[in-house]
Amino acid sequence: MAGRRILRLRRLIKRMVQNLTLLLGVLMAMWTDEFKGTQLNERWRWVAPVGGSYELRDGWLVISVPEREKGFDHWSGTFNAPMLLTNLPDGDWAAETKVQVSDYAPDSDFHVGMAIAVSERYLWLWGIFYSATIWKMERPELWLERTQESALLRIPLQSTTVNLRVERRGWWLHFFWRTDEQSEWQEAGKSLIWFAPKQIGLIVKTFGKGRPLSVSFSHFKLEPLESTTGSLEARVTVNPRRKLNEINPLIYGQFIEHLGRCIYGGIWAEMLQNRKMHGSVQENGVVEGWQPFGKNAKWYADNVDFFVGGQSQVIEGTGASEHGIAQGGLDLLPKGYVGRVIVKGDGVKEVSVSLRKDGKVLASQTLKGVTGKWKKLQFRLTVKEAVNDVQFVISFNGKGKLWVGAASLMPADNVDGMRKDVLDAIKDIKPPIVRWPGGNFVSGYDWRDGIGDPDLRPPRWDRAWGAWEWNDFGTDEFIKFCKYIGAEPYICTNAGEGYEHEAADWMRYCKEKGYKVRYWGIGNEMYGHWQLGHLDANKYALKAILFAKEMRKVMPNARLIAVGVDGGGWGNWNAIVTKIAGAHFDLIAPHYYQGYNPNDDPCQIYTVVAGSPVHIERMLRETFAIVERNKPKGKRITLAFDEWNVWEPHQIHASGFESFYALRDGIFSAGVFHALHRCSDFVELACLAQTVNVLGALRTNETQVVKTPIYWAFWIYVRNTGKWRVACDVDCPVGTMPVGGETPVVDASATLSEDGKTLFVALINRHPESDVAVHLDLGNFKAKPTVQMWRLWSEHFTDTNTFIEPEKVKPIEQTISASELSNLVLPRHSVTVLRIER
């Protein structure tokens, strides 16, 4: 008995300690500052990146900012507004203050009040807003904004003194106001929490002309509330009997361009730079990309006697020993490598090709038969172990002259000059169509340079991207590429500096070779000042008519694609082009890249990227509506959304437009797929820009292929999309995001196989911090007992796959019970796709 009493007593003491700890936490979290005395409460933290001041004055806290060009702003990329911040408790809470703006310049622009901060760079601002120069306001209003999201709530004000209150309840912030302490609190509205705020406080923000401003706060109160925080819920109702539109498989297309390492250094297997001995000559006498090797020799370029492109490399041996040219930095695997050198000699009968590391020969071959005429000599070298930073050397011994006109080195397992590992990775996402060769590149491209013997194709300076184009990968190689991966070819013609007869000849070449190319683009982004041969809408439309008329003579049934823009921009481009030339083309091609400010908080960047497919869907519908209003009567013109992606700020020319995409970008891609499903009745095709390295779904080095989350999104969806989109209604919380605007937490798309036996349901949980419990109602679809599920998820939405950690983010496949569908939990920031059989 005594033992039981002791046990009960211990339990009672434990509960008392727990309750006391909880009470202590509540008391510590609950506090009021009346701003009395001369010192701030130690709980406050003053943040003033570029200036501003505060003082306690007769029970008021006064925050002041001087006049400053562009003010003390807080917006995307700019975080200069001074503020006082204090930590928020876990769970739910309420905070309130009183703010007064007693005097301000008539041409002021400001927003002052309460800051509810995820971080110092990402916050809600609830308070008095006035903008004379930008918003042309006559009197202040009560506004809610979140960084990069303006006017989420707007309340007219009769006074510049107002009481403010904010409550967190679960995953919502509720915003209240009243004119004085005797009035009842009025709720202005609420805002979904994507990221839980960590701090709260007071802020003074100015912008526009940056006029000086002083703002007074009479008190601040913070108190915890009874917690209601839990998982979010959603209901997804699918009606498989209601077919809405057919899904065109071409929406999962790809785009490759002669830019950076997309083709050369990516798809193309060539390992040597400047293999045709072109470009500038260094002070040592060797052409760019190569270095002198050995001694007792002279090196210089010959611009009279050359094999291709107006230049060859000469090595003149002046004495005994080995000499030649070398190219380093090669990473090799234990396998065979093949190549060729095109040489001629004077007093030289044989040359050696070798792979060397720190002076050690790893593999070599002597090539005999060098003569006074250009000769192509083939070789094969085998490496026994993986090794980095290897030199490829072309050399000979003794006196004599050797001219090197071209050289090549590729892995022996290349497929018609293309990397097999890259081709297989692309093939595994089953691209239905691939657009080529550009992009901006095409506006200066002559397709005739890219046919015939690859070694004799002339190098050209690509003025669009400022790089040498070697013309090793041309029309024939592109068709082989498409055949290997199982894709339909889509060729974009040069309507920049090119002419209609050249496009027709290109089409004729493909027809005579038996290449089945249905889709032909008439130029690329001709509206842009960056485009070679840039034209306004009227001039482009007239040029497009000339192209179409000549091209129709060769292929009357070709699907011709005109240059388009997103929505009604670029001087109403779509309307003008469609009205003038709409009778002559079949599709029009808007492009869209989602960017963001690299200085913004990663949480805010997530909301920009993850929500932008909502905007993309609106844009596609707006673009099609413009085309519909301006097309010739009875003409059907659809959209070719043939360039889309996230364009990260560090993807610039200096970096080769390369980076490792994150899980966030895979979620973005899934959102684009859902938008394309819903728009598939008028979007005929779509192409990710681009497939390899340059904004790439794949990243490569010389020995590896890394699959990004964007790649894995394609991998899941191309395998799990039916022929028909069926009715799919979602009832879930809706928040706002900077680009997407009103953005549902859950996005769902349901498609049905042609035979009606398989239902595919794709679900995106955009919420970055909360799982969502989904009740999935399949209507009359009687599912088999088990369901296949694929899920793309990782611990953090910024997780990426790299050469060091190539499989950090990849789909997980599992089998679940059909009974779980009625209460399916979607993890935070995830994509889930279900294959349901009956």
Side-chain angles (χ1 to χ4, degrees), residues 502-610:
E502 296 168 346
D505 286 345
W506 197 355
M507 182 179 274
R508 188 174 292 106
Y509 175 84
C510 290
K511 185 177 180 180
E512 290 172 354
K513 297 277 283 190
Y515 301 155
K516 296 179 181 179
V517 184
R518 283 194 303 158
Y519 288 92
W520 292 83
I522 303 176
N524 174 77
E525 294 181 358
M526 295 304 301
Y527 50 85
H529 60 82
W530 57 86
Q531 201 69 217
L532 299 175
H534 157 67
L535 297 170
D536 62 31
N538 188 281
K539 295 182 182 69
Y540 168 75
L542 295 174
K543 188 170 188 177
I545 292 172
L546 297 179
F547 268 64
K549 287 181 71 67
E550 287 301 308
M551 295 169 78
R552 296 280 190 208
K553 293 176 183 177
V554 182
M555 290 181 63
N557 297 323
R559 302 288 290 164
L560 299 185
I561 302 172
V563 171
V565 301
D566 51 322
W570 299 95
N572 209 19
W573 175 279
N574 289 329
I576 295 170
V577 170
T578 303
K579 188 172 291 185
I580 295 173
H584 301 274
F585 59 81
D586 306 292
L587 301 89
I588 192 167
H591 294 169
Y592 188 89
Y593 293 94
Q594 183 56 58
Y596 59 82
N597 192 314
N599 297 317
D600 288 345
D601 187 289
C603 297
Q604 182 192 344
I605 292 171
Y606 175 87
T607 64
V608 168
V609 174

Side-chain angles (χ1 to χ4, degrees), residues 794-806:
S794 188
E795 185 66 26
H796 199 273
F797 56 79
T798 58
D799 285 347
T800 62
N801 296 333
T802 65
F803 295 120
I804 296 173
E805 200 171 2

Side-chain angles (χ1 to χ4, degrees), residues 191-251:
S191 176
L192 181 69
I193 297 170
W194 297 108
F195 292 92
K198 304 295 191 298
Q199 296 176 303
I200 193 166
L202 311 171
I203 184 171
V204 172
K205 160 184 166 175
T206 61
F207 54 101
K209 293 184 177 180
R211 297 304 191 210
L213 187 67
S214 291
V215 182
S216 301
F217 300 88
S218 71
H219 69 281
F220 178 85
K221 180 181 179 181
L222 176 64
E223 59 181 338
L225 300 176
E226 183 178 349
S227 182
T228 58
T229 302
S231 295
L232 297 169
E233 296 182 353
R235 184 179 184 88
V236 177
T237 304
V238 179
N239 183 356
R241 288 185 173 180
R242 188 178 166 211
K243 296 178 180 178
L244 300 178
N245 58 265
E246 191 170 341
I247 301 289
N248 194 322
L250 298 182
I251 62 173

Side-chain angles (χ1 to χ4, degrees), residues 81 314 370 499 614:
V314 180
V370 178
Y499 294 94
V614 178

